[in-house]
């Protein structure tokens, strides 16, 4: 028995013009928020290693192996990479934080500044397209990213989840800022 292949368009329902118009209306009325993640930073930077969670952890493990205090025991880095390969990102992140003296240690702040803090959008229309589109929407923007690419594209300051009163003002549209849901470098 043979069944003719079904064209791809039949698998994917067409986007309803009513839904698109509804979303445009909600944006125009300020009733929307953009919540973005690593894909925005990865696209803007041409997939820079520090733009992704996985890449940032790899950089953190390498930094710990070089300057972590106390000095990691032999095999520590391999153990961390193995945990990371199994998806144990939070365990690895906590180990990196501990070795680099988070939250206020000099190696911790230096590593953040030199990794995620040094991310730059590639200066062309293709790489900056999403950053510029988000800026032009004129709605609140929240991110799970630690970098400040959105701040530079929009001219808005960073606000972290720890500053509750400012978070509320941003979400209400009373203050323009980039809301960092996980933290800001």
């Amino acid at each position: 028995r043979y069944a003719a292949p079904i064209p791809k368009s039949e698998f994917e329902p067409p986007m309803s013009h009513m839904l698109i118009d509804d979303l445009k209306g909600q944006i125009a009325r300020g009733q929307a928020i953009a919540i973005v993640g690593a894909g925005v930073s990865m696209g803007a930077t041409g997939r820079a290693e520090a733009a992704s969670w996985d890449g940032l952890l790899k950089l953190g493990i390498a930094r710990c192996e070089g300057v972590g205090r106390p000095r990691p025991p032999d095999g520590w880095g391999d153990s961390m990479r193995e945990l990371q390969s199994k998806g144990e990102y939070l365990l690895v992140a906590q180990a990196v934080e501990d070795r680099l003296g988070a939250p206020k240690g000099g190696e911790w702040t230096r590593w953040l500044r030199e990794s995620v803090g040094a991310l730059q959008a590639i200066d062309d229309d293709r790489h900056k397209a999403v950053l510029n589109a988000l800026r032009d929407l004129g709605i609140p923007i929240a991110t799970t990213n630690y970098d400040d690419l959105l701040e530079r594209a929009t001219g808005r300051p960073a606000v972290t989840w720890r500053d509750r009163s400012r978070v509320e003002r941003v979400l209400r549209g009373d203050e323009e800022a980039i809301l960092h849901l996980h933290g800001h470098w």
Side-chain angles (χ1 to χ4, degrees):
R1 299 196 165 119
Y2 175 77
I6 299 172
K8 184 177 181 179
S9 62
E10 291 183 38
F11 283 113
E12 299 175 14
M15 181 64 100
S16 163
H17 291 289
M18 289 174 52
L19 288 175
I20 293 171
D21 290 343
D22 184 47
L23 180 58
K24 286 179 181 178
Q26 289 182 17
I27 290 169
R29 291 186 301 276
Q31 296 175 326
I33 181 172
I35 302 175
V36 302
V40 169
S41 296
M42 291 170 62
T45 63
R47 303 186 74 75
E49 192 168 25
S52 74
W53 183 232
D54 196 51
L56 187 60
L57 288 178
K58 286 178 184 176
L59 292 170
I61 293 167
R63 179 60 67 101
C64 289
E65 289 176 313
V67 299
R69 296 287 180 256
R71 191 68 130 182
D74 289 343
W76 180 88
D78 292 335
S79 297
M80 292 298 107
R81 284 184 277 278
E82 176 68 20
L83 284 171
Q84 184 175 354
S85 74
K86 293 178 179 179
E88 297 290 346
Y89 292 148
L90 291 177
L91 287 174
V92 175
Q94 289 171 337
V96 168
E97 287 177 343
D98 291 345
R99 292 276 172 203
L100 295 179
K104 304 241 186 244
E107 283 302 330
W108 170 254
T109 56
R110 180 178 177 190
W111 172 68
L112 288 176
R113 183 180 66 249
E114 292 175 357
S115 59
V116 72
L119 287 172
Q120 296 285 326
I122 295 174
D123 195 17
D124 65 32
D125 291 341
R126 182 173 70 91
H127 287 91
K128 289 187 172 181
V130 173
L131 295 173
N132 293 338
L134 287 164
R135 176 198 64 212
D136 295 345
L137 284 174
I139 61 175
I141 301 171
T143 182
T144 57
N145 301 339
Y146 296 110
D147 61 64
D148 58 1
L149 294 170
L150 288 163
E151 285 81 355
R152 285 186 254 144
T154 64
R156 299 178 188 179
V159 172
T160 70
W161 59 273
R162 293 177 183 214
D163 191 343
R164 184 176 175 172
S165 62
R166 287 189 72 202
V167 167
E168 290 174 6
R169 290 194 304 269
V170 170
L171 293 176
R172 283 193 312 262
D174 296 340
E175 180 179 342
E176 287 193 349
I178 304 299
L179 175 57
H180 287 265
L181 301 173
H182 292 166
H184 180 253
W185 77 270

